[in-house]
Structure formats: C-alpha cells, structure tokens
Amino acid sequence: MDRDERHDRSERAERLTRYLTELQERIDPRSLELLMRLLRELSTSPAVRGGTYELGMGPEEKELFTPALQAELLVLFGLLTSQDERVVVDLGDSPHAKGMKVLVPQERAGDPDFLYRHKQRVAAEAEQRERDRREVEGIARASGMEL
C-alpha cells in the first residue's frame, strides 16, 4: 500500500469515526446497535463489490429498521467503502422494495437515466434471487427435504 492509499484510508476512517460519534448523539442505543451489526454484516457481503445483499433481521429489528435508519446504514456503508462522496437517493417503490434507497456518486444523483438503469438492475437482481430461491425449494422438496 503506497502513501496515497494509506492517506485515503486514514481520511475515510476519520470521516466514519466522526459520523459515528455524531450518530450516537442522534439515535437510540438499540437502533445504533442494529446499525453496527448490519454494517458488519454488509462489510463482508457481495454488496462491498457493488452487488446486492438481503439483510437478515428478526421482527423486532425490522420494526427498528425505519426508512431513516436505512438511509443511515447506506451513509455508513458509503463512508466505509467509497473513496468519493456518495449520497442517498430514493428510487421509489419497486416490486421488490418499497421506498428503495441507494447510495450513488454525488454527481450522478440528479441523472434520471442513471437512476432508472440502477433501479432496473436492482429489480432484475431481486427477481433472479427469487427465481433461484424457488428453484432451490423445488429441488429440496423433490429430494424429500423438509423446508
């Protein structure tokens, strides 16, 4: 790792630390705990490389995971993984996600064509995951496995 890379990582870590400190003052401890668990989960998921990932949450956690908390998770994820400035954009509803929010480069946030393509890609990936899930369940049933 060269000097510039170390500087970028250090700068990113500092921004993340400042944001977390400020976040601790704004949200309740249970929500913060959920955010930190989800951030750890996301940081080792395919989402790090630009993929999508379905978060695992129980009923209580889903109730805590409000749209505002979802946006905070995206901001934290962006601070953790991106070198450039990212912003949260609401893509609206889709068949697979109500109030779909994504993290995009700041300069692309106002580009309707880019946002539409992004929404289409996310929807296509969700549809593929659903087809895969149904196929695996079918194979399991045909094999006599309990679901």
Side-chain angles (χ1 to χ4, degrees):
M1 182 181 319
D2 69 12
R3 182 179 162 99
D4 288 338
E5 286 177 280
R6 282 194 305 273
H7 181 298
D8 287 344
R9 283 183 109 169
S10 174
E11 191 175 298
R12 256 195 335 236
E14 188 176 313
R15 283 189 322 207
L16 181 60
T17 301
R18 279 194 315 265
Y19 195 83
L20 282 171
T21 300
E22 185 255 321
L23 196 57
Q24 283 178 307
E25 297 170 7
R26 287 193 292 119
I27 66 173
D28 68 278
R30 287 179 45 223
S31 295
L32 184 62
E33 184 180 320
L34 175 61
L35 274 179
M36 297 314 296
R37 183 186 71 74
L38 294 174
L39 187 61
R40 281 190 300 275
E41 186 177 322
L42 270 175
S43 68
T44 59
S45 77
V48 171
R49 294 174 299 286
T52 57
Y53 181 74
E54 191 169 322
L55 297 167
M57 290 185 279
E60 282 184 31
E61 291 175 323
K62 285 180 181 178
E63 191 173 311
L64 276 176
F65 200 52
T66 63
L69 208 60
Q70 293 169 32
E72 293 294 356
L73 180 60
L74 284 172
V75 169
L76 289 170
F77 188 67
L79 288 169
L80 182 67
T81 62
S82 180
Q83 293 180 21
D84 58 349
E85 194 68 30
R86 301 278 173 141
V87 294
V88 176
V89 175
D90 188 339
L91 294 179
D93 291 345
S94 78
H96 302 284
K98 290 204 180 292
M100 183 188 304
K101 292 177 178 44
V102 294
L103 199 59
V104 298
Q106 191 167 12
E107 66 274 5
R108 303 300 297 268
D111 180 344
D113 292 332
F114 171 79
L115 297 176
Y116 177 77
R117 287 191 311 273
H118 196 80
K119 183 176 180 176
Q120 294 302 103
R121 182 184 62 83
V122 170
E125 289 173 359
E127 288 170 10
Q128 183 61 51
R129 278 194 310 277
E130 180 60 24
R131 283 192 299 273
D132 292 347
R133 184 191 63 74
R134 284 194 309 266
E135 184 175 342
V136 168
E137 285 178 356
I139 292 168
R141 272 192 297 280
S143 301
M145 298 175 70
E146 288 185 36
L147 297 175

